[in-house]
């Protein structure tokens, strides 16, 4: 989170060689696929249009792999900000402790990456989501030796029931349990991993809305659908089409982003005839290729605009305003 104690050190606001600002696009050094590279190219293109020199830094690069206590700022090309397109919250916190503005901030990424923290923060801010139970913590070598808590959750949630590992992407760590034995078998394979159990919203099977939010604005929205799976993820065969969210859906998505302290996110909403609109998940590094194909909107552009707006804000009053928005 960009607050007063993590404000920029020596932000270069003058035009230098036609560059208005410099940044690092920090990405995971182990994820090398065309899908990820395409998103990076969108972000780099948006930066060039704004005369921002944005440079990709992978988490395995020499500039990043430095001993604890060594300042990243010793690098002669120290950036004005970091666009953090990863989930390595320990690295994000190191950047923040050096005084580098990070977008999204470490706390916000942690809240959205952990499905447990997401559910806690959304519920505490009264953001509607499917009814959720959190697994008790266990330890390596102990595992879930007593599953009576699953029976308690199942009695309330019914079957089918959604089970999600605390950490996961692209729907691959999300399961549908048809009965208590199925649930026990799924959980038995987790080892000591934490997870959540959620009510299955049956009329939203294989379907949701992805709202891309930047600040307090919904930039684009697509419907994701998959007739062959209960999950709508494109990585599992889902498809997208343009959609127009309602005012309430926009407000719900923006509320979810605020609850988690994010500057930008992809918010997945279930539109249920029985339960109304519910937040399913919030993604701090949204894959927005589907929205680009539908609308021709590069989400990187409003993201860069927001970063520039925050960092260019000179008055203490405005700095405090942006600080409050990101808490």
């Amino acid at each position: 989170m960009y607050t007063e104690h993590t404000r920029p050190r020596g932000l270069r606001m003058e035009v230098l060689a036609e560059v208005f600002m410099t940044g690092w696009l920090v990405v995971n050094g182990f994820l090398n696929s065309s899908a990820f590279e395409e998103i990076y190219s969108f972000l780099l293109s948006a930066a060039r249009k704004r005369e921002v020199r944005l440079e990709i830094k992978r988490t395995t690069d020499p500039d990043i792999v430095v001993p604890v206590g060594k300042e990243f700022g010793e690098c002669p090309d120290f950036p004005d900000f970091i666009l953090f397109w990863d989930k390595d919250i320990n690295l994000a916190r190191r950047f923040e402790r050096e005084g580098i503005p990070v977008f999204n901030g470490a706390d916000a990424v942690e809240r959205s990456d952990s499905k447990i923290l997401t559910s806690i923060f959304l519920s505490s801010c009264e953001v509607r989501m499917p009814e959720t139970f959190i697994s008790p913590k266990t330890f390596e070598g102990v595992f879930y030796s007593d599953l009576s808590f699953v029976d308690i959750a199942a009695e309330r949630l019914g079957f089918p029931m959604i089970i999600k590992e605390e950490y996961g992407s692209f729907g691959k760590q999300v399961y549908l349990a048809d009965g208590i034995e199925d649930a026990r078998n799924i959980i038995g394979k987790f080892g000591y991993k934490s997870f959540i159990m959620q009510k299955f919203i049956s009329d939203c099977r294989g379907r949701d809305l992805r709202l891309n939010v930047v600040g307090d604005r919904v930039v684009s929205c697509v419907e994701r659908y998959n007739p062959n799976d209960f999950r709508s993820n494109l990585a599992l065969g889902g498809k997208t089409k343009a959609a127009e969210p309602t005012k309430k859906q926009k407000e719900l998505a923006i509320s979810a982003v605020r609850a988690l302290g994010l500057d930008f996110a992809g918010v997945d909403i279930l539109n249920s005839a029985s339960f109304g609109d519910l937040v399913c998940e919030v993604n701090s590094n949204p894959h927005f290729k589907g929205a680009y194909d539908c609308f021709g909107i590069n989400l990187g552009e409003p993201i860069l605009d927001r970063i520039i707006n925050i960092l260019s804000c000179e008055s203490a009053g405005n700095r405090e305003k942006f600080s409050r928005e990101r808490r």
Side-chain angles (χ1 to χ4, degrees), residues 86-115:
D86 193 26
K87 297 182 179 180
D88 187 342
I89 57 173
N90 294 320
L91 177 59
R93 286 204 172 97
R94 289 191 66 189
F95 285 131
E96 289 178 339
R97 296 311 301 175
E98 295 293 345
I100 311 172
V102 179
F103 304 87
N104 284 299
D107 288 346
V109 172
E110 182 179 37
R111 293 166 190 161
S112 58
D113 189 30
S114 163
K115 293 176 175 59

Side-chain angles (χ1 to χ4, degrees), residues 139-190:
F139 301 93
E140 187 173 6
V142 179
F143 310 125
Y144 291 101
S145 55
D146 178 358
L147 290 176
S148 58
F149 69 93
V150 178
D151 298 335
I152 296 171
E155 184 176 353
R156 173 86 179 197
L157 300 176
F159 288 103
M161 179 174 71
I162 293 290
I163 301 175
K164 299 179 180 179
E165 294 182 33
E166 181 178 9
Y167 300 103
S169 301
F170 307 114
K172 294 180 180 178
Q173 289 78 28
V174 179
Y175 311 89
L176 187 65
D178 292 322
I180 191 64
E181 287 305 315
D182 194 19
R184 287 171 171 265
N185 289 335
I186 290 170
I187 295 166
K189 298 175 183 178
F190 290 169

Side-chain angles (χ1 to χ4, degrees), residues 115 119 129-134 157 196-199:
K115 293 176 175 59
S119 65
M129 59 184 294
E131 189 169 10
T132 301
F133 282 79
I134 298 172
L157 300 176
I196 63 173
M197 297 165 284
Q198 286 186 325
K199 188 171 189 64

